[in-house]
Amino acid sequence: MSRFHSYVNSAKSILEEYDGGEPFSLFLKSFFRRNKKYGSRDRREIGHLCYCYFRLGKSIPDIAIEERILIGLLLCSKSINDVLANLRPELSEKVHLSLEGKLSFMGKQSLIENIFPFKDELSVGVSHRALSESFFDQPNLFLRLRPGNEEFVKNKLQNEEVEFKEVSKSCLSLSNSVKIDQKIQLNKEAVVQDLNSQRMGELLPSNNTETTFSVWDCCTGSGGKSILVYDTITNIDLNVTDVRDSILVNLKSRFKEAGINSYNSGSVDLSQSTVSLSKSPFDLIIADVPCTGSGTWGRTPEQLFYFNSDKIKKYVDLQRKIIANTIPHLKPGGQLLYITCSVFKKENEENIEFFKNEYNLDEEKRELFTGYDKRADSMFACVLTKQN
């Protein structure tokens, strides 16, 4: 059996074992730890074939796994690769064609329409066609350069011969293959943060007074937005919470690297009806709420593959509970920055209308940040002010 047949067969075995219960990247690492016969090149090739399979989304579900892998590989390829060249030379000859050309050659022009079958659930302004086509491109790695480090980091990367595109003074786009943690001091000099996650800074209020501005990042996660707020708002009283203790442990280490020493943190379950906070109320609450993550599925296409639209309601219910439990901690005249990385209207604009009506909030600004046209994540955000 050729090495290339072995790659496809190994990918098939992995896909048959995986059930979507955990991020595929973690499952793959565990699989290769248990099967040490695979070298680094083998792992890279096999993993890529698996992701090509997932990037077909919900389309052509009834064909054999091996064939689906190879079709996905063709649609994801822009140059000759050894697997197609050896196993399916007639497909390999078409890698330089446009996506439309490849689909036409295979007689599968309707495939694109079926990748993402939740067209009726999309937020206004999302292009179903462009979103579906974007699944064949891995999103880029983005860096946010921290204030005062912009030129230093760029010079450092140039000296390391790392190619990058300057999106703005403080934002760089790089290939995902770059081992950036070996090139710069992460969190101190720059933060790995998606392009549109960085753009949340455009919606943050400015503090032009000497008065301390109190901020609560209520679903802090990895802490990227907290560091962004710290870098953006002066005289800040930063408070961060998350339901997961492990997140807060990691956050403590990350904040130390970022030079953030003055902040309050704690474990809070905002799905519960009673929330006690010693620092309440706040000038600004940032609610980057748990969501379907549908705007990030270009990075994790297995989530699209296993997604059921019934899950949207589950997340909407959770989002509404979280906001219900944060609003009492917002000062009159204070602002709520509601954020999702979703492309679904129920999590986005429909939730905003609900919050406005339920809690007497005034809408200041809302933005749909599309990422599928920028090799980035798609996000939704809205600034709401609590009436006095």
Side-chain angles (χ1 to χ4, degrees), residues 89-139:
E90 76 281 9
L91 296 184
S92 182
E93 293 173 358
K94 307 301 178 182
V95 294
H96 298 296
L97 293 178
S98 66
L99 181 58
E100 286 290 340
K102 292 172 183 176
L103 293 172
S104 178
F105 169 74
M106 293 186 293
K108 297 186 181 297
Q109 291 91 332
S110 63
L111 181 150
I112 290 294
E113 285 297 313
N114 299 317
I115 289 174
F116 192 98
F118 315 110
K119 185 175 182 178
D120 293 341
E121 298 285 355
L122 291 175
S123 283
V124 175
V126 176
S127 167
H128 178 252
R129 178 80 184 190
L131 174 66
S132 299
E133 290 180 352
S134 73
F135 281 98
F136 298 115
D137 286 315
Q138 168 76 2

Side-chain angles (χ1 to χ4, degrees), residues 58 118 121 307-314 344 346:
K58 301 285 191 179
F118 315 110
E121 298 285 355
F307 186 74
N308 184 314
S309 60
D310 292 342
K311 293 180 182 178
I312 298 175
K313 184 180 184 303
K314 167 192 166 187
F344 293 136
K346 287 185 174 67

